[in-house]
Amino acid sequence: DTEVTQTPKHLVMGMTNKKSLKCEQHMGHRAMYWYKQKAKKPPELMFVYSYEKLSINESVPSRFSPECPNSSLLNLHLHALQPEDSALYLCASSQGVYNEQFFGPGTRLTVL
Amino acid sequence: ELKVEQNPLFLSMQEGKNYTIYCNYSTTSDRLYWYRQDPGKSLESLFVLLSNGAVKQEGRLMASLDTKARLSTLHITAAVHDLSATYFCASIAPDSNYQLIWGAGTKLIIKP
């Protein structure tokens, strides 16, 4: 299995909702990432997990909460988001933090 | 601090023509990545360049790396419409805390 999967593909939520994005990989990769991408911009790194431990948190607001239950799974819990948080959220994985990253299909998030 | 600059940011060309996208980076790095992104889609890894003088080719795309000039190029030969996409280069270095640093992207439109 050489792919990263993400669910859901699309998500519409209100500012008071709580939702979660899920990411899974079965390539044995030990690093997993969350990125946020706005239209016509490169991806912005949000979080990096290395060996299931959070190693980088790029000053992301606390309304985004990552979780890595095991080496194959990565979640992003969302709470009290703002309309400006609407974006494509991408998960990626790599063998290590210095290796090629493989991206999932993304979740298109709309916050109303 | 590692910075990555791409040019041009936008390129419109006719089918059958050749063109080159340039990617400059600011500090010592020995790895350079090229990704493709179709509208509304995720990022697809195209090339990983790991050493000075590295050249990789896939179909009508060829990427090269000159670490002394801190320059990578993505050359398109005899462009076809299917190559229309946004192309990103990205680099990684110890002084970037092993985070991918992205270029702004080149939006390529190939007209029949």
Side-chain angles (χ1 to χ4, degrees), chain A residues 4-5 23-25 29-34 45 47-51 55 68 70-75 91-94 97:
Chain A
V4 178
T5 60
C23 174
E24 190 167 5
Q25 58 90 11
H29 289 173
R30 304 316 301 258
M32 296 185 76
Y33 311 78
W34 280 115
L45 183 64
F47 303 104
V48 180
Y49 275 83
S50 179
Y51 289 87
S55 63
C68 188
N70 60 54
S71 60
S72 300
L73 293 174
L74 188 65
N75 298 322
C91 175
S93 72
S94 61
V97 292

Side-chain angles (χ1 to χ4, degrees), chain A residues 37 45 58 98 100-101 104, chain B residues 30-31 35 37 42 45 98:
Chain A
Q37 188 180 27
L45 183 64
E58 284 295 294
Y98 205 41
E100 180 185 12
Q101 294 181 23
Chain B
D30 59 1
R31 28 195 87 198
Y35 286 87
Q37 188 172 37
S42 186
S45 179
Y98 296 101

Side-chain angles (χ1 to χ4, degrees), chain A:
Chain A
D1 190 349
T2 58
E3 65 173 5
V4 178
T5 60
Q6 287 185 246
T7 56
K9 291 184 179 179
H10 301 276
L11 179 61
V12 179
M13 58 187 291
M15 290 190 284
T16 58
N17 292 157
K18 286 185 181 181
K19 297 286 184 183
S20 296
L21 309 184
K22 297 186 183 299
C23 174
E24 190 167 5
Q25 58 90 11
H26 293 288
M27 295 179 278
H29 289 173
R30 304 316 301 258
M32 296 185 76
Y33 311 78
W34 280 115
Y35 287 89
K36 172 184 177 180
Q37 188 180 27
K38 291 282 210 179
K40 302 181 182 180
K41 297 289 186 183
E44 298 172 45
L45 183 64
M46 299 175 73
F47 303 104
V48 180
Y49 275 83
S50 179
Y51 289 87
E52 301 166 49
K53 294 193 186 310
L54 184 63
S55 63
I56 294 176
N57 175 344
E58 284 295 294
S59 302
V60 178
S62 60
R63 57 186 183 267
F64 295 91
S65 175
E67 178 195 18
C68 188
N70 60 54
S71 60
S72 300
L73 293 174
L74 188 65
N75 298 322
L76 186 63
H77 302 297
L78 314 173
H79 174 56
L81 294 192
Q82 304 297 309
E84 59 264 29
D85 297 321
S86 299
L88 180 66
Y89 287 83
L90 294 163
C91 175
S93 72
S94 61
Q95 272 193 317
V97 292
Y98 205 41
N99 298 108
E100 180 185 12
Q101 294 181 23
F102 295 88
F103 285 81
T107 294
R108 175 72 61 188
L109 174 66
T110 302
V111 182
L112 301 176

Side-chain angles (χ1 to χ4, degrees), chain B residues 22 34 46 60 63-66 70 72 74 85 89 91 97 101 110:
Chain B
Y22 298 89
W34 285 97
L46 293 176
R60 299 173 188 275
S64 65
L65 179 63
D66 181 344
R70 297 178 183 167
S72 180
L74 180 66
C89 64
S91 187
N97 200 18
I101 305 299
I110 300 169

